[in-house]
DNA sequence: TGCCAGGCCCTCTTTAGGGCCTT
């Protein structure tokens, strides 16, 4: 299992036409940050044309307009570039199940497979920050005083905020539970551990 | 016609229901 400290991770966020690729929804923007040993080393952001107009709700929610998408490259072209960007890196997102299903759907359209596994800041934060008001990305950014200028619901900014949250969560886990080496396997196991057992699990983790 | 996402996770649970989170 890859070691998160020793390998680069790509933190990604999609803006989309809706909630479900199974219902025909498409990606309209991908933003991502590559981190290596806790340091941001690269980033990626592109709008992509889904081939049809987006709803008023999505335009207002994201600030992305049909005019902006009309001149954007097609999804297939952008996703091919994004495939090169992520390579075989492990992946991270806030509510990763959402971004994974869009990544899988868009990659399936260009017949591309990827090797990385997903970790999720939402699932991790529900265990690490049990006293947070809720576990929305914006709330957690404020909860940990990570706020900076930018627009939530744009892909790169959300990926940047998810990156900050991730790095703070790793620090908090290291400091609270004296963990020197946080591996991918720990994050996976943590996501399957109940909230009530989280403290015991991390305290006993070797 | 009526439906319309889905995975996670808690609890007044497991023969289920409903809230959270993402766009």
């Amino acid at each position: 299992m890859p070691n998160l400290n020793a390998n680069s991770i790509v933190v990604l966020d999609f803006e989309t036409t809706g909630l479900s690729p199974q219902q025909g929804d498409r990606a309209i923007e991908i933003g991502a940050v590559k981190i290596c040993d806790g340091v941001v080393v690269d980033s990626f952001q592109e709008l992509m044309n889904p081939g049809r107009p987006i709803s008023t709700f999505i335009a207002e929610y994201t600030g992305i307009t049909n005019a902006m998408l009309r001149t954007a490259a097609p999804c297939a072209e952008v996703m091919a570039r994004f495939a090169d960007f992520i390579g075989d890196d492990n992946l991270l997102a806030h509510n990763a199940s959402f971004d994974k299903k869009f990544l899988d759907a868009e990659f399936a359209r260009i017949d591309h497979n990827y090797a990385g596994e997903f970790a999720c800041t939402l699932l991790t934060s529900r265990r690490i920050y049990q006293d947070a008001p809720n576990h929305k990305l914006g709330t957690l950014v404020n909860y940990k005083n990570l706020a900076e200028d930018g627009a939530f619901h744009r892909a790169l900014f959300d990926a940047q905020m998810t990156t900050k949250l991730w790095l703070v969560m790793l620090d908090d886990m290291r400091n609270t539970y004296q963990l020197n080496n946080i591996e991918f396997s720990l994050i996976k196991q943590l996501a399957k551990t109940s909230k009530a057992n989280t403290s015991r699990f991390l305290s006993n983790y070797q």
Side-chain angles (χ1 to χ4, degrees):
Chain A
M1 194 69 78
N3 181 332
L4 289 181
N5 287 326
N7 290 280
S8 62
I9 304 170
V10 171
V11 186
L12 63 94
D13 183 74
F14 277 107
E15 304 306 319
T16 70
T17 63
L19 292 171
S20 174
Q22 306 298 331
Q23 301 291 318
D25 287 316
R26 300 294 305 274
I28 59 173
E29 186 180 44
I30 178 69
V33 173
K34 186 173 289 188
I35 53 178
C36 190
D37 294 327
V39 176
V40 174
V41 295
D42 204 356
S43 65
F44 185 103
Q45 181 179 36
E46 282 202 55
L47 292 168
M48 58 189 109
N49 189 335
R52 56 185 169 82
I54 60 172
S55 68
T56 302
F57 171 80
I58 293 298
E60 290 178 349
Y61 186 80
T62 62
I64 297 168
T65 65
N66 281 304
M68 293 162 68
L69 295 176
R70 218 171 282 131
T71 56
C75 293
E77 192 177 306
V78 174
M79 292 307 298
R81 284 194 284 271
F82 189 60
D84 289 339
F85 181 81
I86 68 173
D88 291 332
D89 287 351
N90 281 321
L91 305 166
L92 176 72
H94 196 70
N95 197 11
S97 66
F98 175 85
D99 292 282
K100 183 179 187 301
K101 67 185 179 182
F102 275 95
L103 185 72
D104 290 350
E106 294 296 344
F107 273 170
R109 287 173 176 270
I110 61 171
D111 197 26
H112 176 76
N113 296 311
Y114 61 99
E117 293 186 39
F118 267 91
C120 178
T121 49
L122 170 62
L123 297 183
T124 307
S125 70
R126 280 178 174 161
R127 285 153 182 78
I128 302 301
Y129 302 137
Q130 297 188 18
D131 293 335
N134 60 56
H135 298 85
K136 295 177 183 177
L137 179 60
T139 301
L140 292 167
V141 164
N142 289 328
Y143 180 72
K144 297 303 295 182
N145 296 312
L146 305 175
E148 62 180 46
D149 289 340
F152 279 107
H153 308 306
R154 285 301 299 266
L156 181 58
F157 185 78
D158 282 4
Q160 290 169 332
M161 293 301 99
T162 302
T163 301
K164 283 192 165 195
L165 176 63
W166 172 248
L167 295 176
V168 166
M169 284 198 299
L170 291 182
D171 273 346
D172 286 347
M173 281 190 279
R174 287 190 192 100
N175 294 334
T176 303
Y177 300 101
Q178 288 78 53
L179 297 170
N180 294 320
N181 193 27
I182 298 177
E183 296 183 347
F184 203 79
S185 58
L186 181 149
I187 299 299
K188 290 287 193 181
Q189 290 176 57
L190 182 60
K192 295 176 181 176
T193 302
S194 70
K195 284 169 62 175
N197 287 332
T198 293
S199 182
R200 187 183 314 132
F201 169 77
L202 289 173
S203 296
N204 294 331
Y205 192 83
Q206 299 298 320

